[in-house]
Amino acid sequence: MLQVEGLKVKVGGKEIIHDISLNVDIGETLVLFGPNASGKTTLLMAIMGLPRYEITKGMIIFKGQDITHLPVDERARMGIGILFQRPPVVRGVKTRDVVKACLGGREDGYVIDQLAQRLNMVDLLDREVNYGFSGGEVKRSELLQLMAQSPEFVLLDEPDSGVDLVNISLVGEMINELLQKDRMRTRTSSGLLITHTGHILDYVNADRACVLLNGRIWCRGNPREILDSIKAHGYEGCEVCQR
Amino acid sequence: MSEMTRSKAARERAERARGKPAPLGDDVDLAAYSQAAEEHNYEEDPSRLQPQAKERMLETGVMLDDPSQRSGTFLQIDHSVVHSKAGQEGVEVMSSVEALEEYPWLGDYWWRAVAVDADKFTAQAELYQNHGYFIRALPGVKAIQPVQACLYLTQHGLAQNVHNLIIAEEGSELHIITGCATAPMEREGLHIGISEFYVKRGAKLTFTMIHNWVPQMAVRPRSGIIVEEGGMFLSNYICLNPVRTLQMYPTVQCVGENAVARFNSVLVAPSGTNMDVGARVILGARGARAEIVSRVITTGGTIIARGHLVGQVAEVRGHLECRGLMLSPEGKIHAIPELEGLVDGVDLSHEAAVGKIAEEEVEYLMARGLSRAEAIAAIVRGFLSVDIEGLPHQLEAQIQRAIEISEEEMF
């Protein structure tokens, strides 16, 4: 579904991602581990097509099409969605209106209210996007938008950061739904999930994992094994590991 | 002082202020405008006005086809009152000239909230007054629907000098929607509008003004508002179309305890437009509160957005908020918030922000599938939608409609 080949990405003139290649098959969830400033978010933003993340080399192929230079909105309309770790506040714009836009013309007040109810977002629908939201509310708002958008490929940037124990199981449940984890053979949704702490993996099953260090993929393997190793030795352990 | 002596004194003061420049705004050469207007016939049924004029008035919230939606209507074209009717018991609507004749005691209200010799524009309104409206809610009367008033200019090069008087008597409630507009083909004109508002004890007055000018108009409203104990004055001002020069600085005096004043302004300045718009509230009695909120956008024009809160006594509270959005590389927004505490125990604050649309916000919405233009339109629409507490649903819809009309022209 998604192939990244030899990608180099610059932010503010500085190269952050150095020659990364990876692929995610249909129905697969790839988890990306890495310490702070290893380039995880940069990679996700470059895949989403945000203009500040300048691709200087390599290619991104989505559903067989080269999207390396497509604008962000076209990528979204092709079926890529993103959960931002720190989305901006958009003053004056109501969450409900963004959710409506995510439905892309399939505007349906009933669907919005139902989704909002499931995400415990009813009271926040008519508030300005992310304005005064708590950490958990921001994540639920992001998930509400993604649920409405219903993308085939989901980029999840630290969905577990700043979320308390009450919210994390709800966040996990919604991600599982987005990624169609209830299906086996007929699953069509795929995802790329960033986690620093690995908490979300208690709720969401990933198929494969990579560790990103200094803008490079350091190792690939089984998500649970890699997480156990990180828990035992920290990312410093990865740095000395010669796998 | 007898009425005759009073009006003579006002005239003399106006004569002396004939050439007195206004402290703010570009100078306007009054001699360039004619004081002689053609008469327009009175129309018992305002729905029979020309469709083009009706359409233009509708853009400012003045609807003439369904009188059941309004508690009264006042229409003035150039210098002629063409319709004036109250639609509810206890609500009065008439020409202010007529009102002064009918109620001699109104002399006590005339030029009390605005000084006749404030500048050459107030002086001209005294010396060459052409009507204006008188709207009053009797004590305890709650107007069911808004009262509407339209001051319409059709004659090229004309000066329209109106003096309006609005009284919400004790315990009454009044919503006024007033539209000032110019016929679309006119190129030049001057509108001077004096408005004096009196909000009596426990009364509530909502005043929504939508301006719809043409690029060569000069506009000088002069408004003064006096709010008594427990009274509430709520003003919404919308001006989204080009106007050569507009300067106004309405001033509220909260003279009674717990008096409340709120201003919401939404301004868009296209290229060639100069706006100098503000609001001032003098908090002169314990428990008085004020809020001044403005949202301004330049698409090439200049906006000076002022606000001034004066805390004269303790236990008063006021907040000023100005947000400006630059949608064009040209154009200018100059926010001038002023807070003046004159005693210990006042609580005054302000926040102001001027800038372009944050790229991060546009990209965020684009990541949800909105095109760039759709994302910008959503942000601008949200920016202009000021949440106005206590605004009747009808007025809210009217403001929304005005914004939508202007949006079509903005993008």
Side-chain angles (χ1 to χ4, degrees), chain A residues 50-52 72-73 76-77 82 84 87-93 98 101-102 130 142 145 149, chain B residues 295 321 323 360-361 363-372 374 378-379 381-383 385 387:
Chain A
L50 290 157
R52 272 167 296 163
V72 55
D73 55 323
R77 287 195 293 272
I82 185 164
F84 287 91
V89 170
V90 190
R91 290 299 304 270
V93 177
V98 180
C102 289
N130 300 321
E142 290 290 292
Q145 294 171 44
Q149 199 182 343
Chain B
R295 298 272 185 275
E321 183 187 316
R323 289 173 59 204
E360 191 192 14
E361 294 175 24
E363 289 167 9
Y364 179 64
L365 296 181
M366 287 174 76
R368 301 300 183 223
L370 275 77
S371 70
R372 187 171 183 82
E374 287 167 342
I379 292 168
R381 195 178 311 125
F383 178 85
S385 300
D387 275 329

mmCIF file of all heavy atoms in Angstrom, chain A residues 50-52 72-73 76-77 82 84 87-93 98 101-102 130 142 145 149, chain B residues 295 321 323 360-361 363-372 374 378-379 381-383 385 387:
data_model
loop_
_atom_site.group_PDB
_atom_site.id
_atom_site.type_symbol
_atom_site.label_atom_id
_atom_site.label_comp_id
_atom_site.label_asym_id
_atom_site.label_seq_id
_atom_site.Cartn_x
_atom_site.Cartn_y
_atom_site.Cartn_z
ATOM 1 N N LEU A 50 3.301 17.583 4.266
ATOM 2 C CA LEU A 50 3.293 18.952 4.794
ATOM 3 C C LEU A 50 4.491 19.715 4.225
ATOM 4 O O LEU A 50 5.624 19.212 4.236
ATOM 5 C CB LEU A 50 3.303 18.924 6.322
ATOM 6 C CG LEU A 50 1.955 18.408 6.846
ATOM 7 C CD1 LEU A 50 2.065 17.852 8.232
ATOM 8 C CD2 LEU A 50 0.894 19.485 6.790
ATOM 9 N N PRO A 51 4.255 20.904 3.688
ATOM 10 C CA PRO A 51 5.275 21.582 2.871
ATOM 11 C C PRO A 51 6.582 21.934 3.598
ATOM 12 O O PRO A 51 7.607 22.070 2.949
ATOM 13 C CB PRO A 51 4.577 22.879 2.429
ATOM 14 C CG PRO A 51 3.147 22.721 2.763
ATOM 15 C CD PRO A 51 3.002 21.634 3.753
ATOM 16 N N ARG A 52 6.518 22.068 4.944
ATOM 17 C CA ARG A 52 7.766 22.406 5.637
ATOM 18 C C ARG A 52 8.773 21.262 5.600
ATOM 19 O O ARG A 52 9.945 21.444 5.899
ATOM 20 C CB ARG A 52 7.465 22.740 7.108
ATOM 21 C CG ARG A 52 7.120 24.189 7.348
ATOM 22 C CD ARG A 52 6.541 24.348 8.719
ATOM 23 N NE ARG A 52 5.288 23.614 8.823
ATOM 24 C CZ ARG A 52 4.686 23.282 9.962
ATOM 25 N NH1 ARG A 52 5.250 23.572 11.110
ATOM 26 N NH2 ARG A 52 3.535 22.636 9.956
ATOM 27 N N VAL A 72 -0.652 18.194 0.207
ATOM 28 C CA VAL A 72 -1.211 17.484 1.358
ATOM 29 C C VAL A 72 -2.687 17.152 1.179
ATOM 30 O O VAL A 72 -3.127 16.042 1.505
ATOM 31 C CB VAL A 72 -0.930 18.282 2.672
ATOM 32 C CG1 VAL A 72 -1.438 19.694 2.595
ATOM 33 C CG2 VAL A 72 -1.512 17.592 3.884
ATOM 34 N N ASP A 73 -3.482 18.077 0.641
ATOM 35 C CA ASP A 73 -4.925 17.823 0.545
ATOM 36 C C ASP A 73 -5.221 16.710 -0.453
ATOM 37 O O ASP A 73 -6.136 15.915 -0.258
ATOM 38 C CB ASP A 73 -5.699 19.104 0.203
ATOM 39 C CG ASP A 73 -5.210 19.794 -1.054
ATOM 40 O OD1 ASP A 73 -3.993 19.788 -1.291
ATOM 41 O OD2 ASP A 73 -6.039 20.345 -1.793
ATOM 42 N N ALA A 76 -4.615 13.518 1.246
ATOM 43 C CA ALA A 76 -5.719 13.216 2.166
ATOM 44 C C ALA A 76 -6.899 12.648 1.388
ATOM 45 O O ALA A 76 -7.515 11.670 1.808
ATOM 46 C CB ALA A 76 -6.131 14.486 2.921
ATOM 47 N N ARG A 77 -7.175 13.265 0.251
ATOM 48 C CA ARG A 77 -8.321 12.792 -0.537
ATOM 49 C C ARG A 77 -8.065 11.421 -1.170
ATOM 50 O O ARG A 77 -8.987 10.683 -1.474
ATOM 51 C CB ARG A 77 -8.702 13.835 -1.598
ATOM 52 C CG ARG A 77 -9.395 15.060 -0.960
ATOM 53 C CD ARG A 77 -10.097 15.900 -1.998
ATOM 54 N NE ARG A 77 -9.169 16.541 -2.898
ATOM 55 C CZ ARG A 77 -8.590 17.728 -2.693
ATOM 56 N NH1 ARG A 77 -8.880 18.409 -1.607
ATOM 57 N NH2 ARG A 77 -7.752 18.243 -3.568
ATOM 58 N N ILE A 82 -4.051 11.471 9.118
ATOM 59 C CA ILE A 82 -3.009 11.598 10.143
ATOM 60 C C ILE A 82 -3.584 12.021 11.482
ATOM 61 O O ILE A 82 -4.485 12.870 11.544
ATOM 62 C CB ILE A 82 -1.899 12.588 9.673
ATOM 63 C CG1 ILE A 82 -0.751 12.630 10.694
ATOM 64 C CG2 ILE A 82 -2.452 13.985 9.416
ATOM 65 C CD1 ILE A 82 0.523 13.262 10.165
ATOM 66 N N PHE A 84 -2.348 13.981 14.465
ATOM 67 C CA PHE A 84 -1.217 14.833 14.840
ATOM 68 C C PHE A 84 -0.946 14.695 16.343
ATOM 69 O O PHE A 84 -1.871 14.584 17.141
ATOM 70 C CB PHE A 84 -1.534 16.307 14.552
ATOM 71 C CG PHE A 84 -1.519 16.657 13.092
ATOM 72 C CD1 PHE A 84 -2.674 16.582 12.331
ATOM 73 C CD2 PHE A 84 -0.355 17.085 12.473
ATOM 74 C CE1 PHE A 84 -2.671 16.920 10.985
ATOM 75 C CE2 PHE A 84 -0.342 17.427 11.122
ATOM 76 C CZ PHE A 84 -1.507 17.336 10.382
ATOM 77 N N PRO A 87 -1.633 19.033 17.410
ATOM 78 C CA PRO A 87 -2.329 19.802 16.364
ATOM 79 C C PRO A 87 -2.508 21.252 16.787
ATOM 80 O O PRO A 87 -2.555 21.542 17.982
ATOM 81 C CB PRO A 87 -3.684 19.090 16.256
ATOM 82 C CG PRO A 87 -3.891 18.465 17.588
ATOM 83 C CD PRO A 87 -2.527 18.112 18.111
ATOM 84 N N PRO A 88 -2.601 22.167 15.825
ATOM 85 C CA PRO A 88 -2.750 23.576 16.206
ATOM 86 C C PRO A 88 -4.179 23.877 16.661
ATOM 87 O O PRO A 88 -5.108 23.146 16.338
ATOM 88 C CB PRO A 88 -2.474 24.313 14.893
ATOM 89 C CG PRO A 88 -2.862 23.346 13.826
ATOM 90 C CD PRO A 88 -2.564 21.981 14.366
ATOM 91 N N VAL A 89 -4.302 24.948 17.421
ATOM 92 C CA VAL A 89 -5.626 25.484 17.747
ATOM 93 C C VAL A 89 -6.084 26.269 16.523
ATOM 94 O O VAL A 89 -5.305 27.017 15.943
ATOM 95 C CB VAL A 89 -5.521 26.429 18.964
ATOM 96 C CG1 VAL A 89 -6.822 27.189 19.177
ATOM 97 C CG2 VAL A 89 -5.141 25.645 20.213
ATOM 98 N N VAL A 90 -7.307 26.060 16.092
ATOM 99 C CA VAL A 90 -7.820 26.858 14.969
ATOM 100 C C VAL A 90 -8.970 27.691 15.520
ATOM 101 O O VAL A 90 -10.094 27.215 15.626
ATOM 102 C CB VAL A 90 -8.281 25.978 13.787
ATOM 103 C CG1 VAL A 90 -8.566 26.847 12.565
ATOM 104 C CG2 VAL A 90 -7.230 24.933 13.451
ATOM 105 N N ARG A 91 -8.654 28.921 15.887
ATOM 106 C CA ARG A 91 -9.651 29.783 16.522
ATOM 107 C C ARG A 91 -10.796 30.067 15.559
ATOM 108 O O ARG A 91 -10.591 30.303 14.375
ATOM 109 C CB ARG A 91 -9.021 31.114 16.964
ATOM 110 C CG ARG A 91 -8.046 31.014 18.139
ATOM 111 C CD ARG A 91 -8.661 30.496 19.415
ATOM 112 N NE ARG A 91 -9.803 31.242 19.898
ATOM 113 C CZ ARG A 91 -9.733 32.272 20.740
ATOM 114 N NH1 ARG A 91 -8.581 32.669 21.199
ATOM 115 N NH2 ARG A 91 -10.827 32.878 21.135
ATOM 116 N N GLY A 92 -11.979 30.038 16.101
ATOM 117 C CA GLY A 92 -13.159 30.400 15.313
ATOM 118 C C GLY A 92 -13.764 29.230 14.551
ATOM 119 O O GLY A 92 -14.928 29.262 14.205
ATOM 120 N N VAL A 93 -12.958 28.210 14.288
ATOM 121 C CA VAL A 93 -13.486 27.072 13.519
ATOM 122 C C VAL A 93 -13.959 25.994 14.502
ATOM 123 O O VAL A 93 -13.207 25.567 15.368
ATOM 124 C CB VAL A 93 -12.417 26.507 12.561
ATOM 125 C CG1 VAL A 93 -12.944 25.288 11.819
ATOM 126 C CG2 VAL A 93 -11.986 27.582 11.573
ATOM 127 N N VAL A 98 -15.070 20.882 11.125
ATOM 128 C CA VAL A 98 -13.942 20.116 10.575
ATOM 129 C C VAL A 98 -14.369 18.657 10.375
ATOM 130 O O VAL A 98 -14.042 18.033 9.369
ATOM 131 C CB VAL A 98 -12.702 20.209 11.491
ATOM 132 C CG1 VAL A 98 -11.552 19.410 10.903
ATOM 133 C CG2 VAL A 98 -12.279 21.653 11.674
ATOM 134 N N ALA A 101 -16.248 18.443 7.305
ATOM 135 C CA ALA A 101 -15.341 18.490 6.151
ATOM 136 C C ALA A 101 -14.670 17.137 5.953
ATOM 137 O O ALA A 101 -14.466 16.697 4.827
ATOM 138 C CB ALA A 101 -14.300 19.588 6.349
ATOM 139 N N CYS A 102 -14.344 16.473 7.062
ATOM 140 C CA CYS A 102 -13.703 15.152 6.967
ATOM 141 C C CYS A 102 -14.631 14.139 6.321
ATOM 142 O O CYS A 102 -14.186 13.209 5.658
ATOM 143 C CB CYS A 102 -13.309 14.646 8.350
ATOM 144 S SG CYS A 102 -11.939 15.545 9.061
ATOM 145 N N ASN A 130 -9.508 22.333 19.144
ATOM 146 C CA ASN A 130 -8.370 22.186 20.067
ATOM 147 C C ASN A 130 -8.196 23.339 21.055
ATOM 148 O O ASN A 130 -7.223 23.359 21.810
ATOM 149 C CB ASN A 130 -7.048 21.990 19.300
ATOM 150 C CG ASN A 130 -7.080 20.752 18.435
ATOM 151 O OD1 ASN A 130 -7.611 19.733 18.847
ATOM 152 N ND2 ASN A 130 -6.544 20.838 17.229
ATOM 153 N N GLU A 142 -8.799 14.363 17.444
ATOM 154 C CA GLU A 142 -8.085 13.885 16.257
ATOM 155 C C GLU A 142 -8.705 12.586 15.746
ATOM 156 O O GLU A 142 -8.889 12.405 14.539
ATOM 157 C CB GLU A 142 -6.607 13.639 16.606
ATOM 158 C CG GLU A 142 -5.792 14.897 16.860
ATOM 159 C CD GLU A 142 -5.572 15.690 15.582
ATOM 160 O OE1 GLU A 142 -4.850 15.217 14.683
ATOM 161 O OE2 GLU A 142 -6.153 16.779 15.493
ATOM 162 N N GLN A 145 -12.036 13.141 13.993
ATOM 163 C CA GLN A 145 -11.845 13.605 12.619
ATOM 164 C C GLN A 145 -11.427 12.459 11.704
ATOM 165 O O GLN A 145 -11.916 12.320 10.581
ATOM 166 C CB GLN A 145 -10.795 14.722 12.590
ATOM 167 C CG GLN A 145 -11.247 15.985 13.315
ATOM 168 C CD GLN A 145 -10.116 16.991 13.459
ATOM 169 O OE1 GLN A 145 -9.380 17.240 12.539
ATOM 170 N NE2 GLN A 145 -9.990 17.580 14.637
ATOM 171 N N GLN A 149 -13.183 10.796 8.486
ATOM 172 C CA GLN A 149 -12.440 10.783 7.214
ATOM 173 C C GLN A 149 -12.321 9.355 6.665
ATOM 174 O O GLN A 149 -12.298 9.158 5.462
ATOM 175 C CB GLN A 149 -11.054 11.371 7.472
ATOM 176 C CG GLN A 149 -10.322 11.846 6.242
ATOM 177 C CD GLN A 149 -8.928 12.365 6.616
ATOM 178 O OE1 GLN A 149 -8.649 12.659 7.788
ATOM 179 N NE2 GLN A 149 -8.052 12.437 5.634
ATOM 180 N N ARG B 295 -13.090 42.093 15.264
ATOM 181 C CA ARG B 295 -12.425 41.190 14.323
ATOM 182 C C ARG B 295 -12.281 41.990 13.039
ATOM 183 O O ARG B 295 -13.288 42.431 12.474
ATOM 184 C CB ARG B 295 -13.306 39.986 14.026
ATOM 185 C CG ARG B 295 -13.607 39.143 15.221
ATOM 186 C CD ARG B 295 -12.519 38.099 15.415
ATOM 187 N NE ARG B 295 -12.856 37.208 16.502
ATOM 188 C CZ ARG B 295 -12.600 37.457 17.781
ATOM 189 N NH1 ARG B 295 -12.009 38.565 18.139
ATOM 190 N NH2 ARG B 295 -12.935 36.593 18.703
ATOM 191 N N GLU B 321 -10.706 43.307 23.196
ATOM 192 C CA GLU B 321 -10.057 42.273 22.403
ATOM 193 C C GLU B 321 -10.087 42.678 20.940
ATOM 194 O O GLU B 321 -11.137 42.996 20.400
ATOM 195 C CB GLU B 321 -10.803 40.955 22.593
ATOM 196 C CG GLU B 321 -10.162 39.799 21.870
ATOM 197 C CD GLU B 321 -11.017 38.535 21.930
ATOM 198 O OE1 GLU B 321 -11.535 38.209 23.005
ATOM 199 O OE2 GLU B 321 -11.173 37.907 20.865
ATOM 200 N N ARG B 323 -8.621 41.367 17.209
ATOM 201 C CA ARG B 323 -7.829 40.435 16.403
ATOM 202 C C ARG B 323 -7.911 40.866 14.944
ATOM 203 O O ARG B 323 -8.989 41.156 14.435
ATOM 204 C CB ARG B 323 -8.343 39.014 16.574
ATOM 205 C CG ARG B 323 -8.006 38.472 17.979
ATOM 206 C CD ARG B 323 -8.639 37.133 18.234
ATOM 207 N NE ARG B 323 -8.206 36.164 17.267
ATOM 208 C CZ ARG B 323 -8.901 35.065 16.948
ATOM 209 N NH1 ARG B 323 -10.047 34.838 17.507
ATOM 210 N NH2 ARG B 323 -8.435 34.221 16.059
ATOM 211 N N GLU B 360 0.255 26.872 9.528
ATOM 212 C CA GLU B 360 0.076 25.588 10.215
ATOM 213 C C GLU B 360 -1.418 25.214 10.287
ATOM 214 O O GLU B 360 -1.785 24.049 10.142
ATOM 215 C CB GLU B 360 0.642 25.728 11.639
ATOM 216 C CG GLU B 360 0.760 24.439 12.381
ATOM 217 C CD GLU B 360 1.045 24.652 13.872
ATOM 218 O OE1 GLU B 360 0.898 25.784 14.378
ATOM 219 O OE2 GLU B 360 1.397 23.673 14.524
ATOM 220 N N GLU B 361 -2.265 26.220 10.489
ATOM 221 C CA GLU B 361 -3.711 25.961 10.587
ATOM 222 C C GLU B 361 -4.276 25.567 9.225
ATOM 223 O O GLU B 361 -5.121 24.682 9.121
ATOM 224 C CB GLU B 361 -4.444 27.194 11.128
ATOM 225 C CG GLU B 361 -4.065 27.513 12.557
ATOM 226 C CD GLU B 361 -4.685 28.804 13.062
ATOM 227 O OE1 GLU B 361 -5.722 29.223 12.532
ATOM 228 O OE2 GLU B 361 -4.119 29.401 13.994
ATOM 229 N N GLU B 363 -2.608 24.141 6.781
ATOM 230 C CA GLU B 363 -2.125 22.794 6.461
ATOM 231 C C GLU B 363 -2.866 21.732 7.259
ATOM 232 O O GLU B 363 -3.129 20.628 6.765
ATOM 233 C CB GLU B 363 -0.617 22.699 6.743
ATOM 234 C CG GLU B 363 0.201 23.476 5.738
ATOM 235 C CD GLU B 363 1.646 23.666 6.179
ATOM 236 O OE1 GLU B 363 2.053 23.048 7.196
ATOM 237 O OE2 GLU B 363 2.354 24.451 5.533
ATOM 238 N N TYR B 364 -3.199 22.080 8.477
ATOM 239 C CA TYR B 364 -3.930 21.139 9.330
ATOM 240 C C TYR B 364 -5.272 20.779 8.685
ATOM 241 O O TYR B 364 -5.642 19.605 8.583
ATOM 242 C CB TYR B 364 -4.140 21.783 10.705
ATOM 243 C CG TYR B 364 -4.908 20.942 11.694
ATOM 244 C CD1 TYR B 364 -4.399 19.728 12.151
ATOM 245 C CD2 TYR B 364 -6.132 21.370 12.198
ATOM 246 C CE1 TYR B 364 -5.098 18.964 13.075
ATOM 247 C CE2 TYR B 364 -6.832 20.617 13.124
ATOM 248 C CZ TYR B 364 -6.311 19.418 13.562
ATOM 249 O OH TYR B 364 -7.006 18.672 14.484
ATOM 250 N N LEU B 365 -5.979 21.795 8.219
ATOM 251 C CA LEU B 365 -7.277 21.535 7.592
ATOM 252 C C LEU B 365 -7.098 20.841 6.240
ATOM 253 O O LEU B 365 -7.910 20.014 5.850
ATOM 254 C CB LEU B 365 -8.068 22.846 7.434
ATOM 255 C CG LEU B 365 -8.462 23.532 8.751
ATOM 256 C CD1 LEU B 365 -9.248 24.796 8.468
ATOM 257 C CD2 LEU B 365 -9.287 22.605 9.642
ATOM 258 N N MET B 366 -6.004 21.180 5.554
ATOM 259 C CA MET B 366 -5.741 20.508 4.272
ATOM 260 C C MET B 366 -5.465 19.015 4.486
ATOM 261 O O MET B 366 -5.813 18.186 3.650
ATOM 262 C CB MET B 366 -4.564 21.171 3.555
ATOM 263 C CG MET B 366 -4.914 22.528 2.967
ATOM 264 S SD MET B 366 -3.471 23.354 2.276
ATOM 265 C CE MET B 366 -3.236 22.438 0.737
ATOM 266 N N ALA B 367 -4.856 18.698 5.624
ATOM 267 C CA ALA B 367 -4.582 17.294 5.926
ATOM 268 C C ALA B 367 -5.880 16.520 6.160
ATOM 269 O O ALA B 367 -5.878 15.296 6.225
ATOM 270 C CB ALA B 367 -3.668 17.183 7.144
ATOM 271 N N ARG B 368 -6.985 17.249 6.302
ATOM 272 C CA ARG B 368 -8.294 16.588 6.430
ATOM 273 C C ARG B 368 -9.013 16.535 5.081
ATOM 274 O O ARG B 368 -10.181 16.191 5.020
ATOM 275 C CB ARG B 368 -9.173 17.330 7.442
ATOM 276 C CG ARG B 368 -8.592 17.437 8.828
ATOM 277 C CD ARG B 368 -8.349 16.059 9.449
ATOM 278 N NE ARG B 368 -7.861 16.172 10.824
ATOM 279 C CZ ARG B 368 -6.875 15.419 11.304
ATOM 280 N NH1 ARG B 368 -6.280 14.531 10.546
ATOM 281 N NH2 ARG B 368 -6.487 15.561 12.566
ATOM 282 N N GLY B 369 -8.330 17.005 4.033
ATOM 283 C CA GLY B 369 -8.912 16.888 2.696
ATOM 284 C C GLY B 369 -9.473 18.181 2.140
ATOM 285 O O GLY B 369 -9.982 18.203 1.023
ATOM 286 N N LEU B 370 -9.413 19.288 2.903
ATOM 287 C CA LEU B 370 -9.900 20.566 2.363
ATOM 288 C C LEU B 370 -8.853 21.128 1.408
ATOM 289 O O LEU B 370 -7.646 20.998 1.660
ATOM 290 C CB LEU B 370 -10.120 21.585 3.484
ATOM 291 C CG LEU B 370 -11.465 21.534 4.211
ATOM 292 C CD1 LEU B 370 -11.495 20.374 5.188
ATOM 293 C CD2 LEU B 370 -11.707 22.837 4.958
ATOM 294 N N SER B 371 -9.301 21.742 0.327
ATOM 295 C CA SER B 371 -8.338 22.399 -0.554
ATOM 296 C C SER B 371 -7.796 23.626 0.174
ATOM 297 O O SER B 371 -8.371 24.045 1.185
ATOM 298 C CB SER B 371 -9.008 22.824 -1.858
ATOM 299 O OG SER B 371 -9.902 23.890 -1.579
ATOM 300 N N ARG B 372 -6.754 24.194 -0.356
ATOM 301 C CA ARG B 372 -6.171 25.371 0.282
ATOM 302 C C ARG B 372 -7.214 26.493 0.409
ATOM 303 O O ARG B 372 -7.363 27.113 1.458
ATOM 304 C CB ARG B 372 -4.969 25.836 -0.553
ATOM 305 C CG ARG B 372 -4.209 26.925 0.095
ATOM 306 C CD ARG B 372 -2.912 27.253 -0.592
ATOM 307 N NE ARG B 372 -2.290 28.264 0.224
ATOM 308 C CZ ARG B 372 -1.600 28.011 1.309
ATOM 309 N NH1 ARG B 372 -1.400 26.771 1.691
ATOM 310 N NH2 ARG B 372 -1.105 28.974 2.046
ATOM 311 N N GLU B 374 -10.459 26.273 0.419
ATOM 312 C CA GLU B 374 -11.508 25.906 1.391
ATOM 313 C C GLU B 374 -11.016 26.080 2.822
ATOM 314 O O GLU B 374 -11.756 26.531 3.699
ATOM 315 C CB GLU B 374 -11.939 24.446 1.184
ATOM 316 C CG GLU B 374 -12.775 24.212 -0.059
ATOM 317 C CD GLU B 374 -12.914 22.725 -0.413
ATOM 318 O OE1 GLU B 374 -12.100 21.902 0.076
ATOM 319 O OE2 GLU B 374 -13.810 22.415 -1.190
ATOM 320 N N ALA B 378 -12.594 28.609 5.519
ATOM 321 C CA ALA B 378 -13.118 28.122 6.807
ATOM 322 C C ALA B 378 -12.522 28.923 7.956
ATOM 323 O O ALA B 378 -13.219 29.288 8.909
ATOM 324 C CB ALA B 378 -12.815 26.634 6.971
ATOM 325 N N ILE B 379 -11.217 29.222 7.856
ATOM 326 C CA ILE B 379 -10.555 29.968 8.931
ATOM 327 C C ILE B 379 -11.089 31.406 8.980
ATOM 328 O O ILE B 379 -11.376 31.939 10.049
ATOM 329 C CB ILE B 379 -9.015 29.931 8.752
ATOM 330 C CG1 ILE B 379 -8.524 28.494 8.986
ATOM 331 C CG2 ILE B 379 -8.329 30.892 9.712
ATOM 332 C CD1 ILE B 379 -7.102 28.236 8.569
ATOM 333 N N ARG B 381 -14.006 32.493 7.851
ATOM 334 C CA ARG B 381 -15.398 32.466 8.308
ATOM 335 C C ARG B 381 -15.433 32.330 9.831
ATOM 336 O O ARG B 381 -16.171 33.025 10.516
ATOM 337 C CB ARG B 381 -16.125 31.292 7.657
ATOM 338 C CG ARG B 381 -17.634 31.367 7.774
ATOM 339 C CD ARG B 381 -18.306 30.200 7.070
ATOM 340 N NE ARG B 381 -17.797 30.023 5.722
ATOM 341 C CZ ARG B 381 -17.276 28.884 5.251
ATOM 342 N NH1 ARG B 381 -17.201 27.816 6.013
ATOM 343 N NH2 ARG B 381 -16.851 28.803 4.013
ATOM 344 N N GLY B 382 -14.598 31.444 10.336
ATOM 345 C CA GLY B 382 -14.544 31.250 11.788
ATOM 346 C C GLY B 382 -14.058 32.500 12.492
ATOM 347 O O GLY B 382 -14.568 32.882 13.541
ATOM 348 N N PHE B 383 -13.097 33.149 11.887
ATOM 349 C CA PHE B 383 -12.519 34.367 12.464
ATOM 350 C C PHE B 383 -13.592 35.455 12.585
ATOM 351 O O PHE B 383 -13.660 36.177 13.573
ATOM 352 C CB PHE B 383 -11.386 34.835 11.550
ATOM 353 C CG PHE B 383 -10.726 36.109 11.976
ATOM 354 C CD1 PHE B 383 -9.701 36.082 12.902
ATOM 355 C CD2 PHE B 383 -11.122 37.319 11.449
ATOM 356 C CE1 PHE B 383 -9.096 37.253 13.289
ATOM 357 C CE2 PHE B 383 -10.524 38.497 11.832
ATOM 358 C CZ PHE B 383 -9.499 38.467 12.757
ATOM 359 N N SER B 385 -16.826 35.025 12.713
ATOM 360 C CA SER B 385 -18.016 34.651 13.485
ATOM 361 C C SER B 385 -17.780 34.899 14.966
ATOM 362 O O SER B 385 -17.336 34.030 15.691
ATOM 363 C CB SER B 385 -18.346 33.176 13.277
ATOM 364 O OG SER B 385 -18.592 32.962 11.933
ATOM 365 N N ASP B 387 -18.836 35.137 18.589
ATOM 366 C CA ASP B 387 -19.939 34.615 19.399
ATOM 367 C C ASP B 387 -20.550 35.768 20.163
ATOM 368 O O ASP B 387 -19.903 36.389 20.991
ATOM 369 C CB ASP B 387 -19.426 33.554 20.384
ATOM 370 C CG ASP B 387 -19.359 32.196 19.712
ATOM 371 O OD1 ASP B 387 -20.191 31.959 18.828
ATOM 372 O OD2 ASP B 387 -18.479 31.407 20.077
#
